[in-house]
Amino acid sequence: MISVNNLKFSYQKEKSFHFPDIKLSDGEDLLIIGESGVGKTTLLHLMAGILKPERGSIVFDSVDITEIGKQSLDQFRGKNVGVVFQKSFFIRSLTVMENLLLVQNLAKVKQDKQRVESVLDQLGILDKRKNKPYSLSQGEQQRVSIAMAVLNKPKVLLADEPTASLDDKNCLKVLSLLKEEASLEKAHLVMITHDQRVKAHFKNQMEL
Amino acid sequence: MNIFKLSVKNIVDRPLNTFLSLLLLALGVGLISLVLHISTIVEEQFEKNIKGIDMVTGAKGSPLQLILSSVLHIDDPTGNIELVEAKKLMQHPLVKKAIPLSYGDSHKGYRIVGTERSYLDLYEAKVAKGKIWEKSFEVTVGASVAKVLELDIGDHFFSTHGLVSVETAPGHEEHPFTVVGVLEPTNSVIDQLILTSLESVWEVHDHGNEHQESDDEHEKEEHMPHDDHEMHEEEHNHRYEEDKEITALLVKFRSPLGTIQIPRQINENTNMQAAVPSYEISRLFNLLGIGVETLKVLALAIILVSGISVFISLYNSLKERVYEMALMRTFGASKWQVFTLVVNEGLILSFLGFVFGTLGCYMALAILSHLSNNSFVFSFLDIINSKDTFFLFLLTIGVGVFSSIIPAFKALRVNISKTLGES
Ligand SMILES: Nc1ncnc2c1ncn2[C@@H]1O[C@H](COP(=O)(O)OP(=O)(O)OP(=O)(O)O)[C@@H](O)[C@H]1O
Ligand SMILES: [Mg+2]
């Protein structure tokens, strides 16, 4: 269960964002659509707990993340929130496998190679586990990003325009991968986009 | 995978930067450590060798040369003094102990010293094998001499003029010396010496004079720079007591008063020279000290530069790694974890630099020790246990921490949202 209430945030004093409330019951996904610059990424960062709102609450199950201290927020994020950014980021010096093991370590989850391998297998990139991530193709990199985001079985999987730079075919592929992974790991998928192509694939939609 | 392993991976991922940083660190640490240990070893060695000798009397010349030749046996003698004169000095009430030395010849680079048994007591030398010399031409050799020249009891050899170790150097082929004993190692100058009686040295030269005129001339230059020895040439074989000469007399006084009074008396009233080892050695160290200080400053500068190299390496890599930091934070890393990550890298580099530098210093010392035929001994434990090494360790680790602290704070302050939202 996710609920966002009365959320307000501002980078500078003059301009502040008021976000509409969100309520997702178990198993529900959400697509957030909006023009460029409307504050989509800002909302995603607020929900991920990497920005602190001025006002309002963001509740995952029974925990309001706006009320937990910084240190435990880091940990909460590691365990409960998975984020897929528009661009893929990795630890350059580590292999795909090591990147994923680090993700487990940072969330203080027991390191489990089998779990890593099964996630990589689900995403069809098991054979790339010993490669350095930046040596992979864009599509493969995005899959590794998804693997990292879902690895710790988060409550919510946040995706920031994952399809923006993809052609129609790959757009659909990534979309279905994200939906599959989210339902497999029982996470809410909250996707943000200005990409009209993905509209048809979400029951729950919200316009910013 | 954890933060520490990641630090290691990151270091390995920038091999050139890492190599440069490690090279500079190891060089600086190794150089300082080498300078410190060599000066300590040399100082200890010198102190050990001059222990129990308050004054040395020998022929006039440079006092430092007298000490270097008579106590440390690393220089040529200043000349000879008359035994009669020396004996007079021995009778002085302030003199507690006096050891006559007569030397100038050597065998394969190891000096042959004619002396008395009291010389062995000075360095607490004990016989390991065989016995102490008794008859003329019997020798007891120091531990290193025996080891390096593979001398054993019953072996014979001839002496050579001076300290040259060349086979063709002019020598005394008439009287072979016979090894009758080998001493235990003392870690003092005695390990490097071939010891015999005063009479042996005198006899070698009497016979040498008999047969070789040219040799005689040579010898005159070397051992008798004073021209008041005319009679020497006339009476080769039968030296009287008053003709006999020694090269130096090592003196221990009954009270410190001796050190104050007697050297001046000798220098002013006789044609002999008196030198005080502790004074000459500290003068020598003051001179060497400038060099040692210069090297230390140089090495410190290298360590400083290595710190800057570590800093630049971390700072540069951080520019591209802010994304990694932000990524790690999104996946649950705390501020202090990313801070630790960067500091770890500085610490690991400085620790490795220290280890390589210390190992390098040890190897250099081992090579030096080997090249000098073990004229000094040291152990790896001595290096590890020394205070200098400990302070050097702290210094190096300090450099590692300081050079990584600014990049680490930069990592700590990464704005996750801004960094990852930018693209
Ligand atoms: N760190 C920041 N400091 C100040 N202003 C910012 C910052 N990040 C974003 N903004 C501003 O806030 C507004 C919303 O930005 P945001 O990135 O949320 O938009 P968006 O909807 O994700 O747009 P896009 O579709 O282009 O990604 C923009 O006008 C942007 O310029
Ligand atoms: Mg955006």
Side-chain angles (χ1 to χ4, degrees), chain B residues 53-282:
Chain B
I53 307 172
D54 292 333
M55 180 188 83
V56 178
T57 306
K60 285 217 187 295
S62 145
L64 183 58
Q65 188 186 351
L66 179 60
I67 300 299
L68 291 179
S69 72
S70 66
V71 181
L72 303 166
H73 294 282
I74 49 177
D75 203 347
D76 289 324
T78 48
N80 283 349
I81 55 172
E82 285 170 36
L83 184 61
V84 191
E85 291 264 336
K87 281 217 162 133
K88 263 189 244 161
L89 180 61
M90 289 178 184
Q91 311 299 309
H92 197 286
L94 275 174
V95 172
K96 186 179 176 191
K97 204 161 80 179
I99 307 167
L101 300 179
S102 190
Y103 53 85
D105 290 350
S106 66
H107 172 55
K108 293 193 176 156
Y110 289 98
R111 182 168 270 171
I112 300 167
V113 179
T115 184
E116 291 170 356
R117 286 178 177 226
S118 51
Y119 189 57
L120 294 176
D121 304 333
L122 187 61
Y123 296 112
E124 289 162 9
K126 291 186 193 70
V127 178
K129 219 159 62 168
K131 55 171 191 164
I132 299 173
W133 69 91
E134 280 162 5
K135 292 190 225 96
S136 285
F137 296 101
E138 285 186 345
V139 298
T140 305
V141 299
S144 304
V145 182
K147 198 174 153 201
V148 176
L149 299 185
E150 291 173 351
L151 284 176
D152 210 340
I153 291 160
D155 288 349
H156 302 286
F157 62 85
F158 293 102
S159 59
T160 324
H161 275 303
L163 265 179
V164 268
S165 59
V166 196
E167 301 286 329
T168 55
H172 306 280
E173 305 266 300
E174 295 74 31
H175 269 279
F177 288 95
T178 309
V179 179
V180 295
V182 176
L183 297 174
E184 278 177 11
T186 59
N187 197 16
S188 72
V189 67
I190 221 165
D191 294 351
Q192 313 283 324
L193 298 177
I194 298 170
L195 300 171
T196 185
S197 63
L198 286 165
E199 288 75 19
S200 305
V201 177
W202 289 329
E203 279 179 43
V204 167
H205 289 115
D206 286 348
H207 285 270
N209 296 340
E210 207 168 64
H211 294 277
Q212 282 173 299
E213 269 310 299
S214 64
D215 199 7
D216 184 53
E217 294 297 323
H218 182 74
E219 187 166 321
K220 238 187 105 185
E221 279 165 31
E222 203 165 86
H223 296 271
M224 285 156 275
H226 318 293
D227 26 23
D228 52 341
H229 293 276
E230 241 73 314
M231 58 214 296
H232 179 70
E233 282 180 2
E234 284 134 45
E235 298 181 76
H236 305 298
N237 282 331
H238 310 283
R239 284 189 181 223
Y240 298 110
E241 188 72 359
E242 53 267 26
D243 301 331
K244 286 188 176 158
E245 290 178 324
I246 58 170
T247 323
L249 187 68
L250 309 180
V251 178
K252 169 123 186 108
F253 293 116
R254 274 180 212 288
S255 78
L257 199 62
T259 322
I260 301 167
Q261 291 182 349
I262 301 195
R264 183 191 295 177
Q265 282 176 15
I266 293 172
N267 287 334
E268 284 173 3
N269 305 329
T270 70
N271 58 357
M272 298 190 293
Q273 170 189 214
V276 177
S278 57
Y279 174 72
E280 295 304 326
I281 294 301
S282 72

Side-chain angles (χ1 to χ4, degrees), chain A residues 60-77:
Chain A
F60 292 153
D61 290 341
S62 57
V63 185
D64 184 352
I65 66 162
T66 61
E67 281 181 351
I68 34 184
K70 273 192 175 135
Q71 195 79 19
S72 33
L73 181 60
D74 289 328
Q75 269 198 57
F76 182 87
R77 179 165 58 231

Side-chain angles (χ1 to χ4, degrees), chain B residues 23-76:
Chain B
L23 185 73
L24 288 170
L25 274 164
L27 199 67
V29 169
L31 200 59
I32 285 202
S33 168
L34 199 60
V35 168
L36 290 175
H37 284 109
I38 287 184
S39 59
T40 321
I41 288 170
V42 169
E43 230 161 293
E44 274 173 6
Q45 204 73 15
F46 278 23
E47 253 149 42
K48 201 165 180 182
N49 287 331
I50 66 172
K51 202 182 72 188
I53 307 172
D54 292 333
M55 180 188 83
V56 178
T57 306
K60 285 217 187 295
S62 145
L64 183 58
Q65 188 186 351
L66 179 60
I67 300 299
L68 291 179
S69 72
S70 66
V71 181
L72 303 166
H73 294 282
I74 49 177
D75 203 347
D76 289 324

Side-chain angles (χ1 to χ4, degrees), chain A residues 32-118:
Chain A
I32 300 172
I33 316 164
E35 295 294 301
S36 184
V38 79
K40 302 186 295 296
T41 300
T42 307
L43 175 59
L44 183 123
H45 285 182
L46 283 165
M47 289 180 75
I50 56 184
L51 282 179
K52 210 159 177 63
E54 250 172 55
R55 210 180 59 202
S57 64
I58 302 162
V59 183
F60 292 153
D61 290 341
S62 57
V63 185
D64 184 352
I65 66 162
T66 61
E67 281 181 351
I68 34 184
K70 273 192 175 135
Q71 195 79 19
S72 33
L73 181 60
D74 289 328
Q75 269 198 57
F76 182 87
R77 179 165 58 231
K79 283 206 174 86
N80 300 293
V81 184
V83 190
V84 178
F85 297 98
Q86 184 173 343
K87 192 172 175 273
S88 301
F89 299 106
F90 307 102
I91 308 292
R92 184 178 295 275
S93 63
L94 301 182
T95 63
V96 168
M97 172 61 91
E98 289 166 339
N99 264 282
L100 285 151
L101 289 173
L102 182 69
V103 166
Q104 289 181 324
N105 173 266
L106 292 179
K108 300 198 167 60
V109 170
K110 197 175 161 290
Q111 293 189 46
D112 181 354
K113 270 196 174 174
Q114 264 175 323
R115 164 71 186 156
V116 173
E117 281 168 0
S118 85

